[in-house]
Amino acid sequence: MANDRILLTPGPLTTSLQTKLAMLRDWGSWDVEFNDVTARVRKSLLKILHGEDSHVVVPLQGSGTFSIEAAVATLVPANGHVLVLDNGAYCKRAAKLTTLMGRRCTLMPFSDDEAVSPAALREKLIADSSISDVVLIHCETGAGVLNPLQAIADICAEFNKGLIVDAMSSFAAIEIDARKTRFDALIAASGKCLEGAPGMGFVFIRKAVLDGCAGRSQSLAMDLHDQYVYMEKTGQWRFTPPTHVVVALAEAISQFEAEGGQPARLARYTSNYETLVRGMTALGFKPFLDPTIQAPIIVTFHAPAHPNYDFKRFYEAAKARGFILYPGKLTQVETFRVGCIGAITSVEIEQAVHAVSLALQDLGMPSGSPAAPA
Ligand SMILES: *Cc1c(COP(=O)(O)O)cnc(C)c1O
């Protein structure tokens, strides 16, 4: 286990030994002991969001995307019209699943190297009164941009529109306070900044809209209202729960609380981010984003211009030193990504930068600069 590679990806992430050890037991899904773990996890999640008064939380089996799809199907009425603020790959995925769920969907395009614009949203809502719900990706993991959640939420509140937030890669690391920020649904998952194992998502739903969601979902398995009602009544999940993932998340949340909660997690990730950018810049690499819109979650770097560069070989050379990098997700320019999240500190990031420097040597490249060699 000590020899596991370090995952510098947006999930699954490197988890702590204690979190892995929590998965060594079997649990009965009907048993009160397991139901207690589920109840404890739900209570902790609401506390992280400061949402005890305003929201409920509904866990769902599957990866994060399953919960986004479930949230759209459960919250948006059949005749609704969803506006997706699009500055990257995860936005396009949200739009695609919205369309597949049979809801009318409009994409509002922004560049993938800029944050979405609250002013442009305001214009759009004035121009098109048919829009019922807005979808915002809080941290667009495609390039790593942090979008302006508070300003977008304020406009949705002003125009009385629903707001669905994909906070998958920001929740628990970047501050989100349900007492200050109004949204109808906010989605995150076990295997991101809470540093649990992947396998379950959870959706915070505003109490004020919950009852209206009954019977809206055209899917049985993805109906969050049904999952909520059943869980409240029985303490159990509707269908087979990912028991090991749930107990691992409970353990991961205990460590999160012991570390000092969201502010401490943000501080550690920020230190990872700064160490990464400093080290990579010294090797000649150039971050894709302007630092003012960059979340300390995942960093996109331009691919080096050197003719020897080949992502696969670069990846294999870093992997041979114990570090897993991540391919880029941009269509216009060639890039790769390095995650700052997971149960790692700046020590592992320094080692990763060293691994990258050795990978450059392997490929016979003097630097990672994206400028063409003179
Ligand atoms: C990770 C992530 C998701 C979910 O992806 P899955 O592969 O389904 O876990 C969704 N949105 C964002 C912004 C993400 O970072």
Side-chain angles (χ1 to χ4, degrees), residues 10 63-66 68 90 93 137 139-141 166 168-169 192:
S63 88
T65 305
F66 290 57
I68 302 173
Y90 290 91
R93 186 191 292 180
I137 314 297
C139 171
E140 179 32 274
T141 322
D166 169 355
M168 209 69 69
S169 62
K192 298 260 178 166

Side-chain angles (χ1 to χ4, degrees), residues 278-346:
R278 202 182 311 120
M280 294 291 280
T281 305
L283 295 176
F285 288 96
K286 188 171 181 289
F288 172 72
L289 290 177
D290 188 298
T292 56
I293 55 164
Q294 169 77 61
I297 301 293
I298 188 163
V299 182
T300 298
F301 291 97
H302 286 279
H306 197 281
N308 289 2
Y309 179 74
D310 169 61
F311 178 73
K312 263 203 162 137
R313 286 184 62 211
F314 180 62
Y315 173 92
E316 289 300 335
K319 180 178 169 183
R321 273 88 184 186
F323 295 89
I324 301 291
L325 305 175
Y326 209 64
K329 217 173 190 165
L330 306 180
T331 45
Q332 308 292 328
V333 273
E334 205 194 337
T335 56
F336 67 93
R337 289 179 288 173
V338 186
C340 309
I341 57 181
I344 53 171
T345 66
S346 56

